[in-house]
Amino acid sequence: GAVCIYQGVLQFTRDPALRSFAEHHLLTEQKHLCLVSDWLPSSQHSRLLPLWRLAGFLTGALPALFGPKAVYATIEAVETFVDHHYEEQILVLASQIELNDLRQTLLDCQADEVAHRDEAAAASRGFSQSGWVLRAWCAMVGAGSKAAVNLIRHI
């Protein structure tokens, strides 16, 4: 999903600073995808990957149609959720010494995600106050991310 978010942004934005931001973060997310994929056999990959890819693409593409402010706010919302999601996984792994390497991988990825969140927050400070539509969109992005994780845990 994260890779597709940045692909969606890049598909629709022409803003040079936003393109640079998205290209840089896309590379990081592709690295994360490879790292995590190495830990999980392909037989255990989600059957909902096409849905996650579409949702990710739309999560990047839709705000890109409205400009950098919407994208940065969306990235901040997504990365806030991802930070908490990583934290949950890291806490579970803390007691499993045999999975210490996986835990460290997740800690490293989490640090990148926090940096993405903070970079997006800093970039959005140059814009005027967010309106209710953008705040509602960001709340929906956070809730949708949480719902997706809960759904996949039950499938």
Side-chain angles (χ1 to χ4, degrees), residues 116-134:
H116 291 182
R117 180 199 63 207
D118 294 348
E119 187 178 340
S124 70
R125 285 190 199 112
F127 297 98
S128 62
Q129 185 71 17
S130 297
W132 71 268
V133 173
L134 184 55

Side-chain angles (χ1 to χ4, degrees), residues 44 46-48 52 81-92 106 145-155:
Q44 292 183 6
S46 172
R47 291 175 296 212
L48 298 178
W52 304 148
F81 167 79
V82 171
D83 175 34
H84 295 138
H85 180 61
Y86 269 122
E87 190 63 29
E88 289 174 6
Q89 308 311 307
I90 290 164
L91 290 173
V92 168
L106 296 182
S145 299
K146 185 174 182 176
V149 167
N150 287 333
L151 172 67
I152 200 62
R153 286 181 177 160
H154 294 24
I155 291 181

Side-chain angles (χ1 to χ4, degrees), residues 51-127:
L51 177 61
W52 304 148
R53 288 181 182 120
L54 176 62
F57 184 83
L58 292 173
T59 301
L62 292 174
L65 294 172
F66 293 93
K69 175 181 175 180
V71 172
Y72 292 131
T74 299
I75 298 302
E76 185 177 3
V78 168
E79 298 298 15
T80 296
F81 167 79
V82 171
D83 175 34
H84 295 138
H85 180 61
Y86 269 122
E87 190 63 29
E88 289 174 6
Q89 308 311 307
I90 290 164
L91 290 173
V92 168
L93 293 172
S95 63
Q96 300 178 37
I97 304 301
E98 69 279 6
L99 295 175
N100 224 21
D101 289 343
L102 174 58
R103 183 174 179 274
Q104 187 58 55
T105 297
L106 296 182
L107 282 165
D108 294 343
C109 290
Q110 181 188 33
D112 289 339
E113 304 300 352
V114 168
H116 291 182
R117 180 199 63 207
D118 294 348
E119 187 178 340
S124 70
R125 285 190 199 112
F127 297 98

Side-chain angles (χ1 to χ4, degrees), residues 10-30:
L10 290 167
Q11 184 71 37
F12 291 100
T13 190
R14 299 294 167 249
D15 181 274
L18 184 53
R19 288 191 68 77
S20 177
F21 172 90
E23 288 166 350
H24 172 72
H25 292 227
L26 174 60
L27 292 174
T28 304
E29 296 301 347
Q30 288 170 328

